[in-house]
C-alpha cells in the first residue's frame, strides 16, 4: 500500500515541476522584455534568476524521472542520487547568474539610471501571482529537489514584494539608486539559498550519517527488540536525504536458530523502515563472539 502511494506522490512531483518550469520560463521572457522597457536592474536580476530557475527546473524534471529507475548491475543502489545532481547544477546556474547581476548593479550604483516605475509595479503584481501559483503547487511535495525549487519560488515572491514597494517609492521620488540596491539584495538572498543547498548536497555526497536519524535513539530502539542483546558498528548514509541505508552488527543468543534469526531480521527491518531506512544490511553475531568493531 505504502509503495503505491509513494509512486503516485513522485509522479505528481514530476508533473508539478513541469508546471513550475512552464510558468517560470514564460515569465522570465516577459521579465527580460519588461526589464529592457523599464530600464530596471532589479527586474533584470529577477529575470536572470527566473531563467536560471527555469533551466534548473527542466533539469530537475528529467533527473527526477531518471532517479525513479530501479537498481541495476551498474547502479546497485538505484538512481536516486541523480536528483542530487540536478540540485547541484541548479545551484551552479544560480551562483553564476547572481554574481553577474551583482557586478552589473555595482556599476549602476555609481551612475544610477532612471527607471519606469509604473512598468515595475505591473510586473511585480504579475510576478507575485505567477510565483504564488507555482509555490502553492510545489508546497505539497517533499524531497531535496522539490525543496530547492520551493525555496526559489518563495524567494521570488519576496523579491517581487520588494520590487512592488520600490516601484511605489520611485513613482513619487526619483531615488533610482534603490533599484540597484534592490537587485543586489535579491542576488544576495539567492546566494544564501545556494550556499545552504550546496552544503546539504556535499554532506550527502560525503556519506554523512543521515541528519534525521539519531544514532543513540536508533540503538536504543533496536536493543529494545526482543532477542537483540546488543547493536554496534552502526554505519549509515543517505541516498538523497529521503531514503537512508544502514549497516550494523547485532549480537544475539548463541543458541538462536536460522529460522529465529530470519524472524528477528524481519522485525528489525520493519522498525527501520518506519525511520525511512529503505536499505539495511545486518550482520548477526553470537553474544560470545569477539567483534573487532565493538568499540564503535
Amino acid at each position: 500500500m505504502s509503495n503505491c502511494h509513494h509512486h503516485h506522490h513522485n509522479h505528481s512531483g514530476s508533473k508539478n515541476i513541469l508546471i513550475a518550469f512552464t510558468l517560470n520560463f514564460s515569465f522570465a521572457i516577459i521579465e527580460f522584455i519588461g526589464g529592457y522597457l523599464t530600464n530596471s536592474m532589479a527586474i533584470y536580476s529577477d529575470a536572470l534568476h527566473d531563467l536560471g530557475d527555469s533551466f534548473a527546473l527542466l533539469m530537475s524534471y528529467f533527473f527526477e524521472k531518471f532517479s525513479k529507475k530501479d537498481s541495476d548491475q551498474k547502479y546497485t543502489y538505484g538512481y536516486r542520487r541523480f536528483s542530487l545532481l540536478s540540485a547541484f547544477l541548479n545551484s551552479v546556474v544560480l551562483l553564476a547568474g547572481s554574481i553577474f547581476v551583482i557586478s552589473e548593479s555595482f556599476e549602476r550604483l555609481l551612475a544610477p539610471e532612471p527607471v519606469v516605475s509604473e512598468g515595475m509595479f505591473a510586473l511585480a503584481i504579475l510576478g507575485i501571482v505567477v510565483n504564488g501559483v507555482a509555490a502553492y503547487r510545489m508546497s505539497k511535495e517533499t524531497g531535496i529537489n522539490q525543496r530547492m525549487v520551493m525555496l526559489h519560488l518563495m524567494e521570488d515572491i519576496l523579491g517581487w514584494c520588494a520590487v512592488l514597494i520600490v516601484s511605489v517609492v520611485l513613482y513619487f521620488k526619483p531615488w533610482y539608486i534603490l533599484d540597484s540596491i534592490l537587485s543586489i539584495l535579491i542576488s544576495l538572498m539567492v546566494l544564501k539559498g545556494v550556499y545552504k543547498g550546496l552544503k546539504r548536497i556535499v554532506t550527502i555526497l560525503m556519506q554523512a550519517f543521515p541528519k534525521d536519524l539519531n544514532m543513540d535513539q536508533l540503538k536504543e530502539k533496536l536493543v529494545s527488540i526482543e532477542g537483540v542483546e546488543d547493536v554496534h558498528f552502526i554505519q549509515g548514509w543517505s541516498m538523497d536525504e529521503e531514503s537512508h541505508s544502514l549497516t550494523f552488527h547485532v549480537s544475539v543468543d548463541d543458541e538462536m536458530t536460522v529460522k529465529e534469526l530470519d524472524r528477528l531480521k524481519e522485525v528489525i527491518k520493519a522498525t527501520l523502515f518506519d525511520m525511512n531506512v529503505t536499505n539495511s544490511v545486518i550482520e548477526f553475531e553470537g553474544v560470545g563472539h569477539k567483534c573487532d568493531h565493538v568499540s564503535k
Side-chain angles (χ1 to χ4, degrees), residues 221-229 252 256 264 267-268:
K221 215 164 193 175
L222 294 176
V223 172
S224 69
I225 296 171
E226 196 185 342
V228 175
E229 300 293 333
V252 293
M256 249 195 189
L264 181 58
V267 176
I268 292 172

Side-chain angles (χ1 to χ4, degrees), residues 13-276:
S14 298
K15 189 176 145 215
N16 284 335
I17 285 179
L18 202 56
I19 290 168
F21 162 74
T22 311
L23 283 171
N24 245 293
F25 185 70
S26 317
F27 192 54
I29 303 302
I30 295 169
E31 283 176 279
F32 274 112
I33 298 165
Y36 175 73
L37 295 174
T38 58
N39 194 31
S40 165
M41 204 63 212
I43 296 213
Y44 268 132
S45 72
D46 235 309
L48 197 70
H49 180 194
D50 271 351
L51 193 69
D53 273 4
S54 304
F55 288 124
L57 282 165
L58 195 60
M59 287 188 292
S60 203
Y61 172 73
F62 289 117
F63 278 125
E64 197 67 26
K65 286 185 94 66
F66 194 60
S67 70
K68 300 293 171 283
K69 281 176 70 175
D70 290 328
S71 56
D72 53 30
Q73 285 187 343
K74 187 172 184 183
Y75 292 103
T76 51
Y77 278 101
Y79 287 76
R80 293 190 72 108
R81 280 265 168 101
F82 278 88
S83 63
L84 280 188
L85 193 56
S86 87
F88 175 72
L89 291 172
N90 189 342
S91 302
V92 172
V93 168
L94 288 175
L95 186 68
S98 303
I99 291 167
F100 172 74
V101 167
I102 289 171
S103 65
E104 288 292 303
S105 301
F106 269 115
E107 283 179 29
R108 281 269 187 115
L109 275 177
L110 304 172
E113 294 179 23
V115 295
V116 183
S117 57
E118 295 91 340
M120 281 177 78
F121 182 82
L123 277 167
I125 296 289
L126 191 60
I128 291 166
V129 172
V130 170
N131 286 295
V133 171
Y136 175 71
R137 290 202 70 112
M138 287 310 295
S139 66
K140 298 181 178 69
E141 304 300 328
T142 55
I144 190 168
N145 224 337
Q146 285 90 336
R147 275 220 303 282
M148 284 287 277
V149 171
M150 182 66 187
L151 180 83
H152 292 159
L153 294 171
M154 292 311 293
E155 283 173 349
D156 282 352
I157 293 168
L158 284 173
W160 283 117
C161 289
V163 171
L164 188 75
I165 295 162
V166 168
S167 69
V168 172
V169 172
L170 291 179
Y171 183 76
F172 296 104
K173 297 275 183 188
W175 297 338
Y176 299 124
I177 198 167
L178 286 179
D179 181 62
S180 300
I181 293 168
L182 182 60
S183 64
I184 291 169
L185 289 176
I186 291 171
S187 300
L188 288 175
M189 198 165 67
V190 176
L191 287 175
K192 187 184 167 200
V194 167
Y195 168 73
K196 281 185 175 169
L198 283 173
K199 194 173 154 192
R200 217 163 42 227
I201 292 162
V202 169
T203 306
I204 295 172
L205 291 178
M206 294 305 290
Q207 307 282 59
F209 195 78
K211 71 171 172 49
D212 57 341
L213 287 183
N214 180 301
M215 183 88 77
D216 296 325
Q217 282 176 358
L218 181 77
K219 202 168 175 178
E220 209 175 291
K221 215 164 193 175
L222 294 176
V223 172
S224 69
I225 296 171
E226 196 185 342
V228 175
E229 300 293 333
D230 181 44
V231 175
H232 51 274
F233 196 47
I234 301 172
Q235 292 180 303
W237 65 96
S238 187
M239 290 305 293
D240 60 354
E241 216 183 37
E242 271 189 345
S243 54
H244 313 313
S245 293
L246 280 184
T247 67
F248 52 94
H249 294 191
V250 174
S251 297
V252 293
D253 192 294
D254 291 337
E255 305 301 316
M256 249 195 189
T257 64
V258 173
K259 209 171 201 151
E260 287 169 329
L261 284 178
D262 284 342
R263 217 175 8 249
L264 181 58
K265 191 191 278 187
E266 275 175 29
V267 176
I268 292 172
K269 287 199 179 252
T271 305
L272 291 173
F273 197 76
D274 292 339
M275 300 162 84
N276 283 340

